[in-house]
Amino acid sequence: MDQHIDFNKLKVNQDNDIVKKEKHSIKHSKDQALEEKEKEELLRSIQNLNVKPELKYKYEVLVHLMMSAGLRVSEALQVRYEWFNETEDGLVLRIPDKARDLGNLKRDWKPKTLAGKREVFFIDKSVGEKVRSYFIQNKGIGMLRQRAYQVINMLGKAINKPKLHPHALRSTYANTLVYKGVNATTLMYYMGWSNLNVALNYIKASNVAARRDLIEKFTDK
């Protein structure tokens, strides 16, 4: 019996040999991750939109849940007020292992992985408070996944990042942790990853973090 070949998974290299396409790697999102200046520009772009203030607030909360808390877009769209909690160290957002799906109240929602059940700490308390305040008056983001992608892409175009997508904002958060020198297990926990190798590869692949570390080490203070 002939072996089935999926030609969609093949490509031609420089020698005209047919080879398998490489799977999307973590660099796909990292290439679109924002640096500090771009993060500020993204937030400003929201305020420059010609829409109602409440819609600007919603977009800002959506962005912060991914860019400032590292949530997956599917997690961000499920956040609700009761997930927030005050601790001695500050405000945290606790993602449960199961919750009623806000998009369809007849079924339950679960994180993408078991590691998705985690506690997210807002390093910037003012950002955490602003995000939490939104959910006092709103049951949830109230947005479909497709719409969330459209919003982030629209904001990306406003800052000359036309390919910006939600996972790139999540990668931005991961970069922030890497810049601060967190270890792989800490990164794995806050990102909700099940595989330690993902965290190790992420740290290894962070050329921006490496550059910043080198500059800081050799810059006179």
Side-chain angles (χ1 to χ4, degrees):
M1 182 180 293
D2 293 335
Q3 184 178 7
H4 174 71
I5 298 176
D6 187 348
F7 288 95
N8 290 323
K9 296 182 178 180
L10 301 177
K11 69 176 182 179
V12 178
N13 63 17
Q14 293 179 342
D15 298 322
N16 290 322
D17 294 324
I18 295 178
V19 296
K20 282 189 175 182
K21 291 182 180 179
E22 295 178 0
K23 294 182 179 179
H24 288 299
S25 70
I26 196 164
K27 292 183 180 180
H28 176 73
S29 292
K30 287 181 62 58
D31 289 342
Q32 291 296 318
L34 306 181
E35 296 197 39
E36 287 301 319
K37 184 178 179 180
E38 293 173 325
K39 289 162 63 175
E40 295 172 2
E41 291 176 352
L42 184 68
L43 294 173
R44 279 199 301 269
S45 73
I46 296 175
Q47 300 309 315
N48 292 334
L49 293 174
N50 186 24
V51 298
K52 294 181 179 180
E54 53 266 31
L55 196 54
K56 292 181 182 181
Y57 192 9
K58 174 185 289 192
Y59 292 169
E60 187 175 0
V61 168
L62 176 66
V63 165
H64 274 309
L65 285 172
M66 294 178 286
M67 189 172 73
S68 303
L71 270 61
R72 297 178 174 89
V73 63
S74 58
E75 296 169 340
L77 298 179
Q78 292 294 332
V79 173
R80 57 214 67 180
Y81 183 76
E82 52 267 32
W83 287 13
F84 292 87
N85 189 51
E86 288 279 0
T87 71
E88 293 181 357
D89 297 315
L91 184 64
V92 299
L93 189 159
R94 289 176 175 163
I95 302 176
D97 59 355
K98 183 173 71 173
R100 186 59 65 180
D101 191 334
L102 294 180
N104 184 347
L105 295 176
K106 294 182 179 180
R107 67 185 182 192
D108 286 334
W109 169 86
K110 294 182 179 180
K112 184 177 181 180
T113 65
L114 292 177
K117 178 186 177 181
R118 63 195 189 280
E119 180 180 277
V120 177
F121 180 75
F122 285 93
I123 299 174
D124 187 332
K125 187 175 181 180
S126 64
V127 169
E129 289 292 356
K130 189 169 189 176
V131 170
R132 180 172 67 167
S133 295
Y134 173 86
F135 294 98
I136 294 176
Q137 300 295 330
N138 299 276
K139 188 174 182 179
I141 292 292
M143 190 183 296
L144 295 175
R145 185 186 180 102
Q146 182 180 10
R147 179 54 183 161
Y149 271 82
Q150 291 173 345
V151 169
I152 301 306
N153 182 254
M154 172 187 68
L155 297 175
K157 289 178 180 177
I159 62 169
N160 200 30
K161 300 278 283 190
K163 295 183 179 181
L164 191 68
H165 51 87
H167 204 73
L169 297 186
R170 186 168 138 81
S171 292
T172 300
Y173 174 77
N175 274 352
T176 300
L177 298 186
V178 173
Y179 297 161
K180 295 298 182 181
V182 302
N183 60 44
T185 53
T186 297
L187 181 63
M188 181 177 72
Y189 174 78
Y190 280 104
M191 293 300 292
W193 289 328
S194 300
N195 191 336
L196 181 60
N197 287 331
V198 176
L200 291 173
N201 289 334
Y202 209 101
I203 292 174
K204 181 179 179 181
S206 185
N207 62 308
V208 179
R211 184 207 322 149
R212 287 191 175 186
D213 184 49
L214 188 66
I215 291 174
E216 290 178 0
K217 292 293 191 299
F218 286 90
T219 299
D220 293 331
K221 297 182 179 179

